[in-house]
C-alpha cells in the first residue's frame, strides 16, 4: 500500500512539471499559470460502510482548506495542472471531537468560456471581464494522525462551478489576459464522506 501511495503522489506532483515543459512548445495562445485558493468545506453526508469507530469524517467535521496548483492555460479557455492542499478538520457539533489535519494531491482542470461569436467570427470585446467556470479534480486524500484512524488514505474526487473576474482588462491576446480572481462552490468526495467546498482563489 505504501508503494502505491508513493507512486500516486509522485505522478500527481510530476504533472505541473510536464505541463510547464510543454508550455514552451504550445505557442502564443497558451500560458504557464499558478493558482492559489482557500476556503471552507462543510460536511454533507457519509456513504459506504462504517468502521468499528464510525466514519473518519462525519457530521461533526467541517474543514478549512488551502490549495496550490501549477499548470498550463490552453487555448485561452482551459486550465490543466496539478496541485496539493492542506485541510484542518474541526468539530462543529455537540459531539466532542479532536481537530486533526489532512493533505490532498490532485490533478485539476477547469473551463472558462470567455469567447463570443458573431456571424461565425470569434471575438473578445474589452467589456467582457467576467466568465463562468466549470472544473473537476481527481487525486488522493490522507488524514494525518487521526485520533482513531491514524493516517488512512482515500481517493478524492471533486466537481465545481463558479465565476472568474479578469481584473487585467479581460481582453484576449494581451498580456495578463488570463489573470483572475475566482469564487467556486462544488461537491467533493473523500474518506467515505461528501463535502461542499466553497473557495476563493487567485490565478496568475
Amino acid at each position: 500500500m505504501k508503494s502505491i501511495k508513493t507512486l500516486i503522489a509522485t505522478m500527481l506532483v510530476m504533472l505541473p512539471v510536464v505541463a510547464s515543459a510543454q508550455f514552451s512548445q504550445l505557442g502564443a495562445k497558451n500560458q504557464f499559470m499558478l493558482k492559489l485558493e482557500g476556503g471552507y468545506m462543510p460536511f454533507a453526508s457519509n456513504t459506504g460502510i462504517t468502521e468499528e469507530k464510525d466514519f473518519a469524517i462525519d457530521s461533526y467535521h467541517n474543514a478549512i482548506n488551502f490549495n496550490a496548483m501549477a499548470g498550463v492555460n490552453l487555448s485561452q479557455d482551459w486550465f490543466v495542472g496539478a496541485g496539493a492542499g492542506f485541510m484542518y478538520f474541526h468539530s462543529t457539533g455537540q459531539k466532542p471531537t479532536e481537530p486533526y489535519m489532512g493533505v490532498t494531491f490532485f490533478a485539476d482542470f477547469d473551463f472558462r468560456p470567455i469567447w463570443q461569436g458573431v456571424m461565425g467570427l470569434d471575438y473578445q470585446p474589452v467589456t467582457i471581464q467576467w466568465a463562468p467556470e466549470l472544473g473537476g479534480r481527481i487525486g488522493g486524500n490522507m488524514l494525518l494522525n487521526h485520533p482513531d484512524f491514524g493516517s488512512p488514505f482515500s481517493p478524492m474526487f471533486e466537481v465545481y462551478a463558479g465565476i472568474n473576474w479578469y481584473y487585467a482588462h479581460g481582453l484576449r491576446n494581451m498580456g495578463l489576459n488570463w489573470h483572475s480572481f475566482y469564487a467556486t462552490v462544488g461537491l467533493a468526495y473523500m474518506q467515505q464522506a461528501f463535502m461542499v467546498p466553497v473557495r476563493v482563489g487567485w490565478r496568475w
Side-chain angles (χ1 to χ4, degrees):
M1 176 62 72
K2 184 176 180 180
S3 61
I4 295 177
K5 296 176 184 177
T6 303
L7 177 61
I8 293 174
T10 301
M11 291 176 63
L12 292 174
V13 170
M14 285 299 295
L15 279 174
V17 178
V18 174
S20 61
Q22 288 294 321
F23 164 64
S24 60
Q25 306 174 22
L26 291 175
K29 290 187 175 182
N30 306 283
Q31 181 180 9
F32 178 75
M33 303 204 77
L34 299 173
K35 293 165 64 176
L36 291 176
E37 63 183 25
Y40 197 68
M41 301 179 64
F43 172 88
S45 68
N46 285 121
T47 183
I49 300 174
T50 62
E51 304 293 342
E52 292 182 0
K53 298 180 180 180
D54 209 345
F55 293 101
I57 299 174
D58 59 23
S59 59
Y60 300 98
H61 293 102
N62 295 339
I64 300 170
N65 177 225
F66 297 96
N67 295 322
M69 290 141 283
V72 174
N73 210 66
L74 301 171
S75 298
Q76 302 174 339
D77 300 329
W78 295 86
F79 174 86
V80 179
F86 170 80
M87 305 177 71
Y88 177 79
F89 294 90
H90 64 104
S91 174
T92 57
Q94 297 179 354
K95 178 182 177 181
T97 58
E98 294 293 329
Y100 53 93
M101 297 175 288
V103 293
T104 55
F105 298 93
F106 54 88
D108 176 44
F109 71 91
D110 66 54
F111 175 55
R112 304 169 319 282
I114 62 173
W115 49 265
Q116 287 193 359
V118 174
M119 299 179 64
L121 299 176
D122 191 27
Y123 80 106
Q124 177 68 45
V126 177
T127 55
I128 294 182
Q129 291 185 315
W130 299 89
E133 176 176 342
L134 297 173
R137 294 171 182 172
I138 181 171
N141 171 266
M142 180 177 291
L143 302 180
L144 302 178
N145 300 320
H146 189 288
D148 295 323
F149 292 87
S151 300
F153 177 83
S154 165
M156 187 276 292
F157 308 95
E158 181 179 331
V159 293
Y160 58 88
I163 190 166
N164 276 258
W165 172 44
Y166 293 93
Y167 57 85
H169 305 299
L171 181 63
R172 301 181 92 173
N173 300 319
M174 290 179 59
L176 306 182
N177 65 323
W178 295 301
H179 294 215
S180 67
F181 294 110
Y182 60 88
T184 62
V185 60
L187 182 65
Y189 175 80
M190 66 192 78
Q191 303 291 347
Q192 295 184 298
F194 285 102
M195 306 189 79
V196 182
V198 180
R199 301 190 180 105
V200 293
W202 179 32
R203 180 197 314 272
W204 82 99

